[in-house]
Amino acid sequence: SGAPLGYLADQLSLRFGSSQPQAVATILAASQAPVTLETLQMELKGLEPTLISGDRDAGIWASVSREFSELFVLRKEGAPSPAPTQRLERAHTLVESGNVAGAIAEVSAMPGAAGAQGWLTKARRYAQARKALDRLERSALIAPPAAPIMAPPTPQVAAEPQNPVPLPE
């Protein structure tokens, strides 16, 4: 969610630091610069023109060749369209559903992927953090925490009687 971990950072280290050190390190690093699905969605929306059109500095010949290569595309029935607009639509749907790894694959295959390196880096960090959380969750389900160690009971001192017996004089 992008919120600071607070005391949970210490608890993660105590509970999983020895059994899952890489997962804990990944989560702690992700908490320092959090990435949320909402951030990824907004940034992807802003990258649409760059992703669809590709590198503007490539020149006219590269642009024309790319356009011609997309005029006629042969693909198997049921296979997703490789057209940039269709890839972008799928990437948006995948991010909305939480499948950031699938969105990374779609964005990486687009003509303007070079202009989206910042987004791809953030998306990879998000995906790695989710994988680390899943690993910790599986680890917690497989090996529940040991029962807390209780301090030995302290012996109770007998209380003085409420009505003291008068001493003979």
Side-chain angles (χ1 to χ4, degrees):
S1 69
L5 289 177
Y7 74 93
L8 291 177
D10 295 332
Q11 292 299 315
L12 282 173
S13 296
L14 286 173
R15 171 73 170 90
F16 300 104
S18 61
S19 64
Q20 297 288 335
Q22 286 182 321
V24 171
T26 300
I27 292 168
L28 294 178
S31 73
Q32 299 302 314
V35 178
T36 63
L37 279 177
E38 292 79 24
T39 303
L40 291 174
Q41 288 171 337
M42 287 184 347
E43 289 183 13
L44 185 59
K45 186 81 171 155
L47 289 170
E48 286 179 359
T50 303
L51 287 169
I52 291 174
S53 65
D55 186 12
R56 296 202 187 278
D57 297 332
I60 297 273
W61 180 248
S63 297
V64 170
S65 332
R66 185 176 36 80
E67 290 293 328
F68 275 123
S69 71
E70 293 173 2
L71 279 177
F72 299 101
V73 177
L74 298 175
R75 59 187 166 96
K76 290 184 180 180
E77 184 179 354
S81 171
T85 54
Q86 295 299 314
R87 284 189 182 281
L88 186 61
E89 187 176 315
R90 286 192 302 268
H92 278 295
T93 302
L94 290 166
V95 170
E96 287 173 17
S97 69
N99 183 355
V100 176
I104 290 169
E106 291 292 346
V107 170
S108 296
M110 296 186 71
Q117 289 307 310
W119 186 89
L120 288 168
T121 300
K122 286 180 182 178
R124 286 183 188 109
R125 277 191 10 238
Y126 179 88
Q128 289 170 349
R130 294 298 310 172
K131 282 182 186 176
L133 285 170
D134 290 344
R135 266 193 307 253
L136 292 184
E137 183 178 15
R138 278 193 308 274
S139 178
L141 291 173
I142 291 171
I149 299 174
M150 304 292 286
T154 56
Q156 294 186 356
V157 178
E160 293 186 28
Q162 295 291 341
N163 298 327
V165 179
L167 294 174
E169 293 180 22

